[in-house]
Amino acid sequence: MVKKRITILFLLILTALALYLSFILFRPFLKPLLTAVVIAVVFFPVQARMLQVVRSPSLSALFSTILVTSILTIPAVMLGAAIFNEVTHLYEFLDQKSEQSGGLSPFLMQTLDRPLQWLGQYVDISKIDVRGYVAGRLQQISGFLLGETRVIVGNLTSFIINTAITLFTLFFMFREGRSMRRRAAAYLPLRPDQVEKLFNGVSNTLIATVYGGLVVAAVQGGLVGLALWIFGVPSPVLWGVVAAFFALLPLVGTAAVWIPASIYLMATGHPVKGLILIGWGAGVVGTVDNFLRPYLISGRVQMHTLLIFFSVFGGIQLFGFLGLFVGPVILAVTSTLLSLLRDESRNWQQLWLDNSDGDNVEPAAMTGGPATAPSAEADGRPREN
């Protein structure tokens, strides 16, 4: 027994060391691998349907990978081209206005003069250096955009490599997804129902996050962009995309776009349009999430808004844009594991109570035999004839 325990301890230490070294090996490729997992889980019904048409697992995985790549790439390229055009028009617009006003900062100051004058009627803002604050923020934004542009250009090679790794991994996950799941279940010291609950928690969270998050964000961003286009706000496509991104963030939403746009309309002499935009954003765009998201996810995931908030922003901090999906998955796995531990604790508690009750039962009752009264000799009483 001592030798067996030493062997088990030795294997545990070696396994922990091997897992740590494996993590170091895979850490540089963690983001593309997680991206492939997210895409594979979300689009696995496509692979299942493709496998019914093309009987070969390899060919069906190849066709599914090409199809999913097209589904993700073509709209992204079209949207990127539209955003590039909008950014170009926005730059020309700001350049034209800045030339007329003697610079970008004077143009923004002139734009803010009217709302500041209106606000000054009710609040004393004479001690607030609004111009200096805006100028400082503009310098910070310019420096940030310049730095991000350099990062994007410098990481172009890394982006291409990560994309290739993602597609390569996606092919094998499509081809061997079911067998990977069975092998992973075989290594887990859990019952089949517990393994199913754990895997379902991951897949349901991903599907709910992607379907319920991206679709709702796209609809809300489209509604905001449509309103901005109707009211003549510059670069409606660009701001619609920005609104869609903010719609993915809990407790933020598209109000981060349509409220400043309403202020812009009021500041440029269109108060009615600004008020209509506020009503559109609060009454239409804001309520889309209330009925569309439950319809899409069908109650797959029930998590508190505060937990989702921290999981999303924490995921973004760790994994970038991918954290929008990975963060809630980590939270869902944690919640599922805690639920399994709670169930196991209840089972052990019930088993302990059953054993405790069994210790006080007569042997005949424990063996299922009839309970008999004690004999006269046993308690010292004379036997009656």
Side-chain angles (χ1 to χ4, degrees):
M1 291 297 297
V2 174
K3 184 177 180 180
K4 183 179 293 186
R5 291 176 181 176
I6 294 175
T7 302
I8 293 175
L9 179 62
F10 179 72
L11 289 176
L12 287 175
I13 294 174
L14 285 184
T15 303
L17 179 61
L19 289 174
Y20 175 72
L21 294 176
S22 299
F23 173 75
I24 293 176
L25 288 176
F26 284 91
R27 183 169 55 183
F29 313 105
L30 189 60
K31 289 184 178 180
L33 291 176
L34 290 176
T35 303
V37 170
V38 171
I39 297 174
V41 172
V42 173
F43 288 96
F44 198 80
V46 175
Q47 164 62 11
R49 180 62 62 87
M50 189 69 69
L51 188 60
Q52 294 176 357
V53 178
V54 183
R55 296 298 180 179
S56 173
S58 298
L59 286 178
S60 63
L62 178 61
F63 292 152
S64 297
T65 303
I66 295 174
L67 179 60
V68 170
T69 303
S70 302
I71 293 174
L72 297 177
T73 303
I74 294 176
V77 171
M78 296 175 62
L79 184 61
I83 292 176
F84 178 79
N85 293 331
E86 293 293 336
V87 171
T88 302
H89 294 321
L90 179 62
Y91 175 79
E92 293 175 354
F93 171 78
L94 293 177
D95 184 62
Q96 179 184 1
K97 292 296 183 180
S98 62
E99 286 182 0
Q100 296 175 358
S101 305
L104 181 60
S105 296
F107 164 68
L108 293 177
M109 291 299 102
Q110 293 178 8
T111 305
L112 290 174
D113 277 341
R114 182 174 298 179
L116 289 177
Q117 291 175 2
W118 175 83
L119 183 63
Q121 299 176 1
Y122 306 96
V123 181
D124 184 15
I125 59 173
S126 59
K127 299 180 181 180
I128 303 176
D129 187 11
V130 179
R131 298 177 181 272
Y133 177 81
V134 172
R137 298 291 81 76
L138 285 175
Q139 291 179 356
Q140 290 181 359
I141 293 173
S142 301
F144 172 76
L145 293 177
L146 181 61
E148 289 297 315
T149 303
R150 292 175 178 173
V151 170
I152 292 174
V153 173
N155 291 340
L156 184 60
T157 303
S158 176
F159 173 77
I160 295 174
I161 295 175
N162 289 338
T163 302
I165 294 173
T166 300
L167 296 178
F168 185 72
T169 306
L170 182 62
F171 167 79
F172 283 99
M173 296 202 70
F174 276 152
R175 193 182 73 174
E176 304 173 8
R178 289 191 174 92
S179 61
M180 288 181 180
R181 177 167 175 167
R182 287 194 297 268
R183 287 196 294 268
Y187 283 109
L188 296 176
L190 300 174
R191 299 192 308 269
D193 62 309
Q194 294 175 326
V195 174
E196 192 68 19
K197 185 177 181 180
L198 182 61
F199 286 163
N200 286 339
V202 175
S203 61
N204 288 339
T205 304
L206 277 177
I207 293 173
T209 305
V210 174
Y211 291 167
L214 290 183
V215 174
V216 172
V219 172
Q220 289 184 319
L223 291 175
V224 172
L226 177 64
L228 297 182
W229 175 71
I230 293 175
F231 293 143
V233 177
S235 305
V237 176
L238 173 62
W239 296 117
V241 173
V242 174
F245 175 77
F246 278 113
L248 292 170
L249 305 179
L251 305 180
V252 179
T254 57
V257 173
W258 55 261
I259 288 180
S262 302
I263 297 175
Y264 167 80
L265 289 173
M266 294 180 183
T268 53
H270 302 90
V272 177
K273 291 183 179 179
L275 292 175
I276 294 176
L277 182 58
I278 291 176
W280 175 264
V284 177
V285 178
T287 58
V288 167
D289 182 77
N290 296 332
F291 67 88
L292 187 57
R293 189 185 298 270
Y295 173 77
L296 291 172
I297 66 177
S298 300
R300 287 178 178 268
V301 178
Q302 299 292 335
M303 287 189 292
H304 196 275
T305 304
L306 184 62
L307 295 178
I308 296 177
F309 173 81
F310 285 111
S311 68
V312 168
F313 281 96
I316 292 175
Q317 186 175 2
L318 288 176
F319 303 102
F321 180 78
L322 185 63
L324 286 171
F325 314 107
V326 177
V329 168
I330 294 175
L331 182 62
V333 171
T334 304
S335 176
T336 303
L337 291 175
L338 290 175
S339 177
L340 294 176
L341 285 174
R342 181 185 59 195
D343 295 340
E344 286 298 314
S345 176
R346 290 176 178 175
N347 292 336
W348 277 101
Q349 186 178 8
Q350 185 63 38
L351 182 62
W352 183 82
L353 291 175
D354 292 342
N355 291 336
S356 299
D357 294 339
D359 292 339
N360 298 325
V361 179
E362 294 293 334
M366 294 179 62
T367 57
T372 59
S375 62
E377 291 85 351
D379 59 3
R381 291 183 288 108
R383 180 185 298 272
E384 296 181 0
N385 295 327

